Amino acid sequence: MAPDLQIQNYIGGVFQPAVSGAFLDNIDPSTGQVYSRLPDSDERDVQLAVEAAARAFPAWSRTGPDARFRILMRIADLIGQNMEAFARAESVDSGKPLSVSMSVDIPRAQANFRFFATATLQFASESHHMAGEAANFTLRQPLGVVGCISPWNLPLYLFTWKIAPALAAGNCVAGKPSELTPMTAYMLSKVCQEAGLPPGVLNIVHGLGHKAGQAIVEHPQVKAVSFTGGTETGRKIAAVAAPMFKKLSLELGGKNPNLIFADCNFEAMMEGAIRSSFSNNGQICLCGSRIYVERPLYEKFRDEFVRRTQQLITGPPLSPESALGALVSRQHLEKVEQYLSLARAEGGVILCGGERADVGGDYRGGYFLRPAVIEGLPLDCRANQEEIFGPVVTIAPFDSEEEALALANGTAYGLSATLWTQDVSRANRIAEQLQAGIVWVNCWMVRDLRTPFGGVKNSGVGREGGNEALRFFTEPKNVCIKYG
Ligand code: NDP
């Protein structure tokens, strides 16, 4: 399967341009050049998508679990068979190293479909017995047409993380991937067609967030919106959807702490800290962007962390040597650079990185930035409070557990936290008090798809993953039957 230069919407099983006929440029971030185009869709395309989904819903919602399982597994198989094509397309579209697309993004997209395919066979609902009087059972029924909107950092991974449970639960979808990274969602639509997913069950509308995305959220027939993206966008979506009483799942930004105690396994921690700081160019909502180290270990940590950061190769996404690729867009690169300037103005010392990387050759116009480590910033400065979402981390020492917790919990976000210690009692104590939806102890990004996934505070509302996702995409109805 080869990426197409002309991406199309996928509506009612048919590939089509935007109703307006307008296109947007799709830029390869490693060169800064336009390499394909995508439909610049608006509310008319969304209307077509919602109509197609509504037409498909009665039959799809009555399709039994076995049939749904077979189709979703076939989609998973086809993603697996086209793994390399998907991975290359993802890297070209987003700038991430091919090693990341091959080991994280596309295997996970495949796993999402496989996981929720099997979940259709196992999802069960509760019953409540009232002794001698009545029995209650809960029907879990699909909602109808649902909206799935995803960001650019893990494009197919996060798009399928929403679509797969929505379809598994019997809904029909109007989905929009990020306009910056539309290619693999387009390839997915071809796979769905080949897998025999009935027309209209999944509709993919490409285009801008404030046009196509907003039209999905505003559409009265869209019963629920599952959104992953920035906190400000989440706020706007909530403001539109809440008065319409839509179900909402909002997975938003993070400013995750990484707490390192002096008794940790140094080598395992160091390897983990490098990954949690700079994987995917630091453009993962779960990256640990604020690193706090217990004082006795601080200098040793700092020197070794900076040394290893300097060794990371920033290079062409498709090169096997590249540990970091290009940032997703010029606008995003400039935003990260502004935060670096701000950090300097706030008194931070940049220990390494933060300058553009000259990758040379065809890549001169690409958006490459060397990974940066900043020291000397207080908790309350903007660089430590706002999400930078790039290859930038701040480091600081702490003296006690209480101080570590205060630092960790001292932002408006609460997505994930990482903790490195060999003291199990301390790990338990701290994990309990961290304000985060996910706490990793002595590891990072270890994911079991059955676990609840999501954040607290400004990092979102609701949980994805496992039965949480299937519950989100179904409406419970209690049926009470009187005995006798
Ligand atoms: P955005 O919020 O800018 O966009 C996310 C998606 O929403 C895109 O498809 C975007 O379209 C669309 N969109 C934008 N405005 C609207 C609107 N008014 N109505 C409906 N849809 C809209 O996020 P980014 O793409 O920049 O992604 C980065 C953010 O995502 C970071 O903050 C990161 O932390 C967060 N994130 C959170 C995760 C989590 O699980 N909590 C996981 C991964 C990322 P378009 O691209 O065209 O603007």
Side-chain angles (χ1 to χ4, degrees), residues 150-152 176 178-179 209 213-214 227 229-230 233 251-253 285 387:
S150 56
W152 48 259
K176 193 197 88 67
S178 170
E179 140 251 346
Q214 180 109 6
F227 168 81
T233 316
E251 301 296 338
L252 310 176
C285 53
E387 189 182 39

Side-chain angles (χ1 to χ4, degrees), residues 110-164:
Q110 181 187 23
N112 289 340
F113 270 104
R114 213 172 30 215
F115 178 86
F116 285 107
T118 58
T120 56
L121 302 178
Q122 299 181 37
F123 189 42
S125 63
E126 313 85 46
S127 73
H128 300 90
H129 174 65
M130 299 164 74
E133 193 179 349
N136 296 272
F137 67 90
T138 309
L139 272 180
R140 285 243 158 222
Q141 296 175 307
L143 305 172
V145 182
V146 298
C148 296
I149 301 176
S150 56
W152 48 259
N153 64 324
L154 296 165
L156 193 65
Y157 171 135
L158 288 173
F159 199 44
T160 55
W161 183 231
K162 299 178 177 306
I163 286 171

Side-chain angles (χ1 to χ4, degrees), residues 180-298:
L180 296 172
T181 52
M183 188 60 83
T184 49
Y186 174 59
M187 291 165 77
L188 175 72
S189 44
K190 291 185 179 179
V191 155
C192 288
Q193 199 179 44
E194 193 181 337
L197 189 72
V201 171
L202 170 64
N203 306 277
I204 301 180
V205 180
H206 294 276
L208 296 165
H210 64 268
K211 270 163 80 176
Q214 180 109 6
I216 291 175
V217 179
E218 283 174 352
H219 200 291
Q221 266 179 284
V222 172
K223 303 289 181 218
V225 176
S226 174
F227 168 81
T228 298
T231 296
E232 275 320 304
T233 316
R235 217 185 290 282
K236 280 188 207 153
I237 288 177
V240 174
M244 299 169 87
F245 306 114
K246 294 185 185 213
K247 270 185 123 173
L248 268 183
S249 168
L250 300 173
E251 301 296 338
L252 310 176
K255 190 73 183 174
N256 310 308
N258 184 0
L259 302 183
I260 298 169
F261 284 85
D263 70 348
C264 69
N265 174 331
F266 188 79
E267 187 47 42
M269 174 279 294
M270 191 52 74
E271 190 267 331
I274 289 284
R275 278 199 319 115
S276 66
S277 301
F278 301 123
S279 285
N280 203 31
N281 296 326
Q283 301 169 141
I284 301 182
C285 53
L286 304 164
C287 276
S289 55
R290 296 180 296 132
I291 302 179
Y292 297 112
V293 187
E294 203 173 10
R295 198 173 297 276
L297 189 67
Y298 183 73

Side-chain angles (χ1 to χ4, degrees), residues 293-465:
V293 187
E294 203 173 10
R295 198 173 297 276
L297 189 67
Y298 183 73
E299 284 183 15
K300 180 179 173 194
F301 169 85
R302 180 191 60 201
D303 296 348
E304 182 61 11
F305 188 71
V306 168
R307 191 183 71 76
R308 293 198 196 191
T309 301
Q310 285 170 322
Q311 284 175 348
L312 296 172
I313 295 175
T314 303
L318 299 183
S319 160
E321 271 104 60
S322 301
L324 284 88
L327 299 199
V328 74
S329 66
R330 172 173 299 283
Q331 195 190 17
H332 189 57
L333 171 68
E334 287 169 359
K335 177 190 143 184
V336 175
E337 287 178 327
Q338 278 165 17
Y339 272 107
L340 288 163
S341 305
L342 181 68
R344 278 190 207 96
E346 290 177 323
V349 177
I350 299 185
L351 301 176
C352 67
E355 67 279 4
R356 290 197 188 188
D358 180 8
V359 173
D362 293 343
Y363 302 101
R364 288 237 153 72
Y367 313 135
F368 297 94
L369 188 74
R370 291 205 192 283
V373 181
I374 310 175
E375 187 183 43
L377 286 172
L379 171 66
D380 60 0
C381 72
R382 282 183 58 200
N384 263 334
Q385 289 291 324
E386 298 175 16
E387 189 182 39
I388 301 176
F389 216 56
V392 178
V393 292
T394 62
I395 62 172
F398 66 84
D399 289 300
S400 65
E401 258 180 53
E402 293 68 35
E403 191 190 356
L405 265 168
L407 291 165
N409 291 336
T411 73
Y413 292 103
L415 187 54
S416 70
T418 307
L419 177 57
W420 295 91
T421 179
Q422 304 218 52
D423 179 339
V424 179
S425 304
R426 172 193 280 149
N428 275 322
R429 227 173 16 245
I430 293 186
E432 202 183 353
Q433 296 175 76
L434 282 166
Q435 296 167 358
I438 302 145
V439 177
W440 277 295
V441 180
N442 296 329
C443 60
W444 178 72
M445 270 292 256
V446 176
R447 293 279 294 115
D448 179 328
L449 303 190
R450 293 169 299 181
T451 58
F453 179 91
V456 299
K457 295 158 62 178
N458 286 4
S459 291
V461 180
R463 291 292 180 272
E464 298 185 317

